[in-house]
Amino acid sequence: MKLTIIIVNYNVEYFLEQCLHSVYKAIHRVSSEVFVVDNNSVDGSVEMVKTKFPEVKLIENKKNTGFSFANNQAIKLACGEYVLLLNPDTVVEEDTFEKVVSFMDDNSIAGGLGVYMIDGKGKFLPESKRGLPTPEVAFYKVFGLSRLFPKSRRFGRYHLGFLDKNKVHEVEILSGAFMLLRKETLDKTGLLDETFFMYGEDIDLSYRIIKAGYKNYYFPKTRIIHYKGESTKKSSVNYVFVFYNAMIIFAQKHFSQQHAKTFSFLINFAVYLRASAAIISRFLKKTALPLFDASIILIGLFLLKNYWEKVVKVEQALHFETELLTVAFPFYTFIWLLSVLYSGGYDKPVKPLKIIKGIGIGTGVILIVYSLLSEQYRFSRALIVFGAMWAVFSLVFFRYILHLIKIKGFDLNSEKKKRILIVGHFDEFSRVSSLLKLTDANPSFIGNVVPDEQQNEIKKHPEFLGTFDKLEDILEIYKIDEVIFCARDISSHIIINQMAQLRNIDYKIAPPESLYIIGSNSVDTSGDLYSININSISRSANKRNKRLFDIATSLSLLTFLPINIFLVDKPYNFFKNIFIVLSGNKSWVSYAQTNNAENFKLPKIKSGILHTADPLRHKKLDEGSINKMNLLYAKDYRISNDLSIILKCFKELGRK
């Protein structure tokens, strides 16, 4: 056997399915075997592989063993002359395996090989070719010099930016996303080092290949799509620590003691620098706009106060106490912004009406509180009303400015529906367009481009726009926002070519016989997909409403505690549950638990005191019925559903 392909999977069912479709299209000319090692996924990956790809040699781990251990499990069973380590979030061209195996056959000194990789937007991924991360190279990367001077032979060694990406080169480090290895080389170097749980194992093995007397090559004569980051969030603090810790392990293993200490110092410095930057960045992303809004509202209230004192009340100057500036104004601002938040005013796309609604609700709350205060603390109703008017004007006006300067996420016209083009034969076009109508995509226009002229009858249907050779013109004439390729009808080679040529269009791929349409619009996203819409409960507004309901219910139950303790079965646990829900650790209502994989595909919510199946707890429901109840709860979430379950199962509110 010529080739063993090993894919380690962890909770990326949709990407794994697409990857396997592309793999089986590419192995026809190369005698191959395919292993999938699943690291205890809970998303239905194992069931999908068994059902759709029964020929796969499946290894089911009962825990997440890590990337190195899982690959080694399959390598020990491999029969191929070559072993390919392949990420599940990749798509290969139809001739990829034939080309890379041929190159290795012709170059006996080659121990490992990597290929030209693009992301889901068609952009070249620089990690396709990398240099050894020596202390010097690490220093240039940590301090950003490699990014500032990517093509410099001194500063650009991490991604070897000075090497032509379209030519074959000898390189030092291969990417674990596509790492072709000669089995003979692995016998000499040993398998992947299992000290590396995730990240760094590809660098370590690449370096050991070179030390064993072989060479590593970057081979751009075939390309793959690497959606990148689907199994991990690369902007997270956890990623920073895991990745850089792997670098320290590598340095301690391969560098001299002095170099390892220098490297470790640089890496530890980078860890705290990057981790701090990640924390600050996340904090600013979440708080920058509310803090600015608070500042502009407070400034406006202060100016209104001065105007009110000096102009409106010239003869009878209104003397405002210190409490107005230190308590009342911050309180007004807090209530207004909290109301805007819960009205959806901070959701994207921006909707000015939600901001106006939020300020209106907040003003009502403030006036109610104002009416309950004693006379000495009532400053001025007019100031509250004019302050609310200022808040509405300033917040909406600021967002309009952000819209004019085209800041991402503040497009006031972003409700405009997408114009989508589906490339594939008419039967696949019909299937995919039907799927789109069941998702949140909600397109305004769906057109069809067919691969060739063979189906003349399809020209009669109104969605037909032309054949593939006219694609570029069709995109421009019909102002298309997104292209979806039907993988059954369009080769991966053609898809990748198209993605590389036109970069200003969003691309997605519809695997055959799948309910998912997969894509990734940037390196920073974890990958995005269209799936049948069951995410009602995961929408921002519903998540806020559910949390607000939990808080209001908890406070109500606490208020009437002297009565409620006689109505529930376990009063002490009931009292504890109130504070558990108030703290946000649990919700009053959540999904009923089952062992079925379908349950894990539902939108994530907090575990609950009560469950969707509790109203029918006296009936013996099978798992299928419970899963349907969970699905309906997720798809059509309403506060009234939670209230109904609580009222029907009030006695159970004290359960553990």
Side-chain angles (χ1 to χ4, degrees):
M1 185 173 291
K2 204 69 177 176
L3 179 64
T4 296
I5 301 159
I6 300 172
I7 304 169
V8 175
N9 176 71
Y10 181 63
N11 288 329
V12 286
E13 176 194 352
Y14 318 130
F15 287 83
L16 175 63
E17 180 182 349
Q18 180 175 247
C19 176
L20 287 171
H21 275 299
S22 73
V23 164
Y24 277 102
K25 276 188 176 182
I27 63 175
H28 294 303
R29 298 181 186 176
V30 180
S31 59
S32 307
E33 61 180 351
V34 180
F35 283 87
V36 170
V37 186
D38 186 82
N39 269 338
N40 198 31
S41 296
V42 295
D43 66 343
S45 295
V46 169
E47 290 77 9
M48 181 276 294
V49 172
K50 288 179 178 177
T51 303
K52 296 190 174 183
F53 303 96
E55 61 271 48
V56 164
K57 297 181 179 180
L58 180 64
I59 299 174
E60 300 178 54
N61 290 327
K62 299 307 178 185
K63 65 177 182 178
N64 187 355
T65 59
F67 183 80
S68 297
F69 184 91
N71 272 301
N72 287 344
Q73 284 179 282
I75 292 172
K76 291 171 185 176
L77 302 173
C79 299
E81 182 182 341
Y82 300 106
V83 173
L84 173 65
L85 309 185
L86 185 67
N87 268 24
D89 55 344
T90 57
V91 176
V92 301
E93 292 183 321
E94 286 77 7
D95 59 358
T96 291
F97 301 148
E98 184 181 3
K99 285 184 175 180
V100 295
V101 165
S102 176
F103 179 86
M104 295 290 279
D105 284 344
D106 293 341
N107 294 271
S108 59
I109 196 64
L113 176 145
V115 297
Y116 187 118
M117 299 190 295
I118 65 171
D119 66 13
K121 262 289 210 185
K123 182 181 177 183
F124 173 74
L125 290 173
E127 57 267 35
S128 301
K129 48 184 175 61
R130 289 182 291 173
L132 187 68
T134 62
E136 180 184 5
V137 172
F139 177 86
Y140 297 144
K141 180 168 173 56
V142 167
F143 288 95
L145 293 171
S146 59
R147 177 172 291 190
L148 287 173
F149 308 103
K151 296 191 179 297
S152 166
R153 287 190 171 272
R154 173 181 287 274
F155 301 126
R157 285 207 60 79
Y158 189 83
H159 285 133
L160 303 176
F162 51 87
L163 296 180
D164 188 340
K165 65 182 180 182
N166 296 311
K167 292 182 179 179
V168 175
H169 296 286
E170 182 183 337
V171 296
E172 292 164 322
I173 305 300
L174 305 171
S175 168
F178 184 105
M179 195 172 188
L180 183 66
L181 305 164
R182 194 181 296 275
K183 189 71 166 16
E184 168 195 307
T185 306
L186 285 172
D187 293 337
K188 292 182 181 179
T189 62
L191 304 184
L192 278 74
D193 187 341
E194 294 172 12
T195 308
F196 299 91
F197 182 82
M198 184 178 289
Y199 308 120
E201 67 288 315
D202 50 357
I203 297 175
D204 173 69
L205 183 55
S206 297
Y207 189 49
R208 284 192 280 128
I209 289 171
I210 293 171
K211 288 174 72 175
Y214 293 91
K215 293 182 179 181
N216 293 320
Y217 285 93
Y218 163 68
F219 182 75
K221 295 183 180 180
T222 188
R223 298 158 300 177
I224 69 167
I225 302 171
H226 180 206
Y227 289 108
K228 197 179 179 194
E230 187 52 29
S231 299
T232 56
K233 304 291 184 182
K234 297 201 170 186
S235 60
S236 70
V237 175
N238 181 61
Y239 164 76
V240 172
F241 280 101
V242 172
F243 178 78
Y244 283 108
N245 183 59
M247 295 298 96
I248 292 173
I249 295 172
F250 174 78
Q252 291 172 342
K253 181 176 178 179
H254 292 292
F255 295 160
S256 66
Q257 188 174 3
Q258 183 59 41
H259 278 179
K261 285 182 179 179
T262 304
F263 192 90
S264 296
F265 171 78
L266 282 172
I267 293 302
N268 281 310
F269 178 79
V271 165
Y272 290 105
L273 186 69
R274 290 284 298 275
S276 300
I279 292 169
I280 292 169
S281 174
R282 285 191 166 197
F283 175 78
L284 289 177
K285 282 180 181 178
K286 290 187 176 181
T287 63
L289 187 58
L291 287 174
F292 181 85
D293 290 343
S295 301
I296 203 169
I297 290 173
L298 286 169
I299 291 169
L301 287 171
F302 178 76
L303 294 175
L304 282 169
K305 164 194 169 291
N306 290 343
Y307 178 79
W308 194 258
E309 281 185 315
K310 296 177 182 178
V311 179
V312 179
K313 298 286 184 180
V314 174
E315 295 180 1
Q316 294 180 328
L318 187 61
H319 298 288
F320 290 88
E321 303 292 335
T322 306
E323 288 86 351
L324 183 64
L325 297 175
T326 59
V327 179
F329 282 179
F331 174 73
Y332 297 165
T333 303
F334 175 75
I335 294 299
W336 279 326
L337 294 184
L338 189 65
S339 299
V340 169
L341 173 67
Y342 277 97
S343 297
Y346 285 104
D347 292 346
K348 294 179 181 178
V350 173
K351 293 183 179 178
L353 285 177
K354 290 187 176 182
I355 296 173
I356 297 169
K357 176 185 173 184
I359 298 294
I361 293 171
T363 303
V365 172
I366 292 168
L367 289 172
I368 290 170
V369 174
Y370 179 90
S371 66
L372 298 174
L373 296 174
S374 62
E375 194 67 34
Q376 62 179 329
Y377 294 115
R378 295 185 186 181
F379 302 110
S380 170
R381 279 193 183 90
L383 193 59
I384 295 172
V385 173
F386 284 119
M389 293 169 64
W390 164 251
V392 168
F393 171 77
S394 59
L395 268 59
V396 173
F397 180 74
F398 178 60
R399 281 147 181 79
Y400 182 67
I401 296 298
L402 295 176
H403 161 72
L404 289 179
I405 59 178
K406 298 185 177 180
I407 299 297
K408 187 178 180 181
F410 290 93
D411 184 1
L412 298 180
N413 297 321
S414 56
E415 281 297 290
K416 184 185 77 169
K417 298 175 182 178
K418 284 185 176 181
R419 298 176 64 81
I420 295 177
L421 186 69
I422 299 174
V423 182
H425 289 307
F426 184 60
D427 57 339
E428 271 295 271
F429 164 79
S430 300
R431 183 184 72 83
V432 173
S433 59
S434 297
L435 278 178
L436 281 174
K437 291 168 185 176
L438 295 173
T439 72
D440 284 330
N442 198 19
S444 64
F445 173 81
I446 302 178
N448 179 210
V449 164
V450 297
D452 48 52
E453 295 274 8
Q454 292 176 3
Q455 290 183 309
N456 292 323
E457 70 277 5
I458 54 88
K459 295 184 179 180
K460 298 175 183 177
H461 76 81
E463 296 92 349
F464 172 72
L465 302 181
T467 52
F468 189 80
D469 58 325
K470 304 290 194 304
L471 181 61
E472 195 168 340
D473 293 333
I474 291 169
L475 294 177
E476 184 176 348
I477 292 169
Y478 290 93
K479 302 188 184 306
I480 299 300
D481 301 305
E482 182 169 286
V483 176
I484 298 175
F485 293 104
C486 298
R488 191 202 69 179
D489 303 330
I490 309 295
S491 72
S492 300
H493 178 76
I494 291 174
I495 293 172
I496 292 172
N497 267 347
Q498 185 61 44
M499 291 171 66
Q501 288 172 17
L502 296 174
R503 302 271 180 84
N504 296 321
I505 301 286
D506 290 338
Y507 294 102
K508 286 186 172 63
I509 300 175
E513 300 178 2
S514 176
L515 294 176
Y516 309 100
I517 303 168
I518 303 170
S520 182
N521 290 337
S522 78
V523 173
D524 298 321
T525 61
S526 63
D528 52 81
L529 55 91
Y530 292 152
S531 60
I532 292 178
N533 180 24
I534 58 169
N535 292 315
S536 175
I537 199 169
S538 66
R539 290 176 181 159
S540 298
N542 282 333
K543 287 165 78 174
R544 282 195 304 270
N545 290 339
K546 185 169 175 61
R547 179 63 187 143
L548 205 56
F549 173 79
D550 282 341
I551 293 171
T553 302
S554 299
L555 293 175
S556 299
L557 293 171
L558 196 59
T559 302
F560 296 100
L561 188 64
I563 299 172
N564 292 332
I565 57 174
F566 295 103
L567 302 176
V568 297
D569 286 342
K570 298 177 181 178
Y572 177 69
N573 284 338
F574 169 67
F575 182 72
K576 280 176 59 179
N577 286 343
I578 289 174
F579 288 97
I580 288 172
V581 174
L582 270 176
S583 66
N585 289 322
K586 282 191 174 183
S587 176
W588 283 114
V589 180
S590 186
Y591 305 129
Q593 296 302 306
T594 71
N595 294 320
N596 194 297
E598 294 300 315
N599 206 43
F600 296 106
K601 297 180 185 180
L602 297 171
K604 301 297 181 188
I605 58 175
K606 287 183 171 62
S607 59
I609 307 299
L610 300 178
H611 305 128
T612 54
D614 282 343
L616 300 175
R617 61 191 179 280
H618 300 303
K619 296 184 179 181
K620 293 183 179 179
L621 298 175
D622 57 28
E623 281 203 350
S625 299
I626 294 174
N627 285 330
K628 286 179 182 177
M629 294 181 74
N630 287 338
L631 180 62
L632 288 171
Y633 180 80
K635 186 175 181 179
D636 189 25
Y637 175 74
R638 302 174 194 276
I639 287 176
S640 58
N641 297 342
D642 282 4
L643 181 60
S644 174
I645 292 171
I646 288 173
L647 292 176
K648 289 177 181 178
C649 308
F650 198 87
K651 277 191 170 187
E652 301 294 319
L653 291 177
R655 69 164 58 151
K656 288 185 178 180

